[in-house]
Amino acid sequence: MPSSLAFLLTAIFVALLFRRDLREKPNVTGALWIPVLWLLIICSRAVSQWLALAGFQIGGVSVEEGSPVDAVAYFALILAGILILVKRRIGLGKIISNNRLLVIFIIYCFVAVLWSDFPFIAFKRWIKSLGPPIMTLVLLTEPDPEEAFIRLMKRCAYVLVPASILLIKYYPAWGRAYEFWTGASSNVGVTTDKNELGFDCLIFGFFFVWYLLQVRQREYGKPRRNELLLCAGFLAMIFWLLKMAHSSTSLASLLIGIVVVLFLGFRFVNRKRLGFYITAGIFLILFAQFAFGIFGVGIEMLGKDPTLTGRTDLWKILLGWKINPLFGTGFESFWLGERSAKLAQIYWWHPNEAHNGYLEAYLNLGLIGLALILLLVFSAFYKGCKMLSEHFEFARFQIGFLAAFVLYNWTEAAFKSLHPLFFIFLITFMKYPKPQTLTVKELSLNEEPEVLKHFVA
């Protein structure tokens, strides 16, 4: 098929999906498009990279300073999110009281800017790190937050999944990447790296499995059948992309998350004893490792070498690096300056992350920052367990995703402000209680000045 025809058919397919989405008249406001744009950007390529592909001349971009075009794009979305929250009269006190641990972590990250070797760069990165919590609050203050979350995920998938297939199959100059030193090719789709395509598949693959389980419980009829076909079609495309990406970590994490979601749905599972099940599972895995070495077997099954493609050697060097063990090197600062240059001399592939989220947190924020992150994880698990009896479906999404997220960070670093997995983690973690469920019309009325509301009444 000619590439131009493939592009046209893909564009029509995406347009029909959005037409269907809008005709369903979901109980969400137009403000949801701000988080949609945010997730689309962090799940694909930076704005400057898309503009460069389109032929626009973009100025030089450095690892330390980044692109001014990207800075403007992120700042514009953050500002738009803040204006939406101000218009909705979101109370800062409610945000803090319902997310104390997260607020403490954000404040600690701000303080960690002070001891960075590059404080101005670290401060700019900290400003960007406010984006995910702000986008999450925009979503949580929608008339129906769960419906808003589903629409967010579906709308992003409508663009990212078909576009990735299009680029890989018909525009290989854009959809494939080549190693600078070896020349080896990899499929990247709308992203810039095969691991990035992998975590896109992890996010949307897990979502559509969870959503499929929800749709199956609906009454029989045409709407149910159409949604099932939608889920099945996107899952087929996502697993094809996952196969093309060859991202073992994303595949293993996705399977673990799906297993947890399915396990929680069995009738014989006592949801009040979930902590016991997790503890028993951990001990069983540890016993199997000491007795049979299952980690090595699992690594071989995933097609990895014992060093996890050089990761274990890198971890040894990083653990031996002289840093302040309590405070680290500063917020997102370890991979700046001389440290990055020295590691580039050791490894031909020029590492720019620790390929372990927990080690990455330690290098940047020290043991204090690592402890706060672990507390966030344990708190998310505790909240998910409490929610099982009140809101089972979203609770099992939260717990299943948390399992995938924790495993993913073992060989990749996702505890980063602009990482899509961290954004989804915040959506499942943050809370902003609403007194009642409002419709789009009621929320729009509440956002008007008091005089106008009395006039309408």
Side-chain angles (χ1 to χ4, degrees), residues 55 63 78 126 177 194 329 401:
V63 175
I78 291 173
W126 182 82
K194 72 180 188 70
T329 57
F401 178 80

Side-chain angles (χ1 to χ4, degrees), residues 353-369:
E353 65 169 58
H355 287 281
N356 182 293
Y358 311 99
L359 179 56
E360 185 85 8
Y362 166 72
L363 294 172
N364 288 313
L365 301 172
L367 292 174
I368 295 176

Side-chain angles (χ1 to χ4, degrees), residues 240-318:
W240 182 85
L241 284 173
L242 196 54
K243 178 183 177 182
M244 299 300 291
H246 297 290
S247 179
S248 303
T249 300
S250 296
L251 175 60
S253 302
L254 174 58
L255 294 178
I256 289 296
I258 292 174
V259 168
V260 171
V261 167
L262 294 176
F263 175 76
L264 291 174
F266 291 134
R267 294 183 179 179
F268 65 81
V269 175
N270 186 342
R271 298 166 189 169
K272 295 181 180 180
R273 303 186 66 186
L274 187 57
F276 169 77
Y277 295 142
I278 297 294
T279 304
I282 291 173
F283 276 109
L284 182 62
I285 292 173
L286 291 176
F287 172 78
Q289 168 60 16
F290 286 118
F292 309 107
I294 61 168
F295 288 166
V297 175
I299 290 171
E300 290 181 5
M301 290 177 62
L302 291 172
K304 293 283 188 179
D305 61 82
T307 67
L308 297 174
T309 322
R311 286 174 172 82
T312 56
D313 296 331
L314 176 63
W315 296 343
K316 292 177 183 178
I317 293 177
L318 294 177

Side-chain angles (χ1 to χ4, degrees), residues 14-32:
V14 172
L16 290 175
L17 289 173
F18 276 100
R19 178 174 176 269
R20 178 178 181 271
D21 179 272
L22 296 175
R23 290 183 67 181
E24 290 175 347
K25 297 181 179 180
N27 190 24
V28 297
T29 69
L32 183 63

Side-chain angles (χ1 to χ4, degrees), residues 158-170:
Y158 291 164
V159 175
L160 297 171
V161 175
S164 290
I165 295 175
L166 175 70
L167 293 182
I168 291 173
K169 288 183 66 68
Y170 297 100

Side-chain angles (χ1 to χ4, degrees), residues 16 72 75 78 80-81 105 111 130 161 182 220 225 233 242 247 277 295 314 331 357 384 396 406 411 455:
L16 290 175
V72 170
F75 180 76
I78 291 173
F105 177 70
V111 176
L130 298 178
V161 175
T182 65
Y220 285 90
R225 183 195 64 192
L242 196 54
S247 179
Y277 295 142
F295 288 166
L314 176 63
F331 180 71
R396 71 168 172 172
V406 168
T411 59
F455 176 77

Side-chain angles (χ1 to χ4, degrees), residues 35 38 42 77-78 81-82 85 90 92 95 99 102-103 105-107 109 125-141 331 376 416-419 422-432:
W38 182 275
I42 64 176
L77 289 174
I78 291 173
I82 292 174
L85 296 178
I90 302 304
L92 183 61
I95 296 174
N99 303 278
L102 179 62
V103 171
F105 177 70
I106 292 173
I107 293 174
C109 290
R125 292 183 174 185
W126 182 82
I127 293 294
K128 289 181 183 178
S129 74
L130 298 178
I134 291 171
M135 298 302 143
T136 300
L137 286 171
V138 171
L139 187 145
L140 293 178
T141 53
F331 180 71
L376 286 173
K416 295 180 179 179
S417 55
L418 294 183
H419 201 290
F422 188 69
F423 179 38
I424 304 301
F425 169 75
L426 286 183
I427 292 176
T428 65
F429 178 81
M430 290 184 68
K431 305 296 177 188
Y432 189 85

Side-chain angles (χ1 to χ4, degrees), residues 15-28 144 147-148 150-152 154-155 158 207-208 211 215 218 222-231 440:
L16 290 175
L17 289 173
F18 276 100
R19 178 174 176 269
R20 178 178 181 271
D21 179 272
L22 296 175
R23 290 183 67 181
E24 290 175 347
K25 297 181 179 180
N27 190 24
V28 297
D144 186 345
E147 176 68 17
I150 291 173
R151 295 294 166 174
L152 168 71
K154 289 171 71 173
R155 288 174 182 179
Y158 291 164
F207 165 75
F208 275 107
Y211 185 58
V215 174
R218 297 181 183 177
K222 186 177 180 180
R224 176 181 180 272
R225 183 195 64 192
N226 290 341
E227 285 297 292
L228 289 175
L229 289 174
L230 178 76
C231 293
V440 173

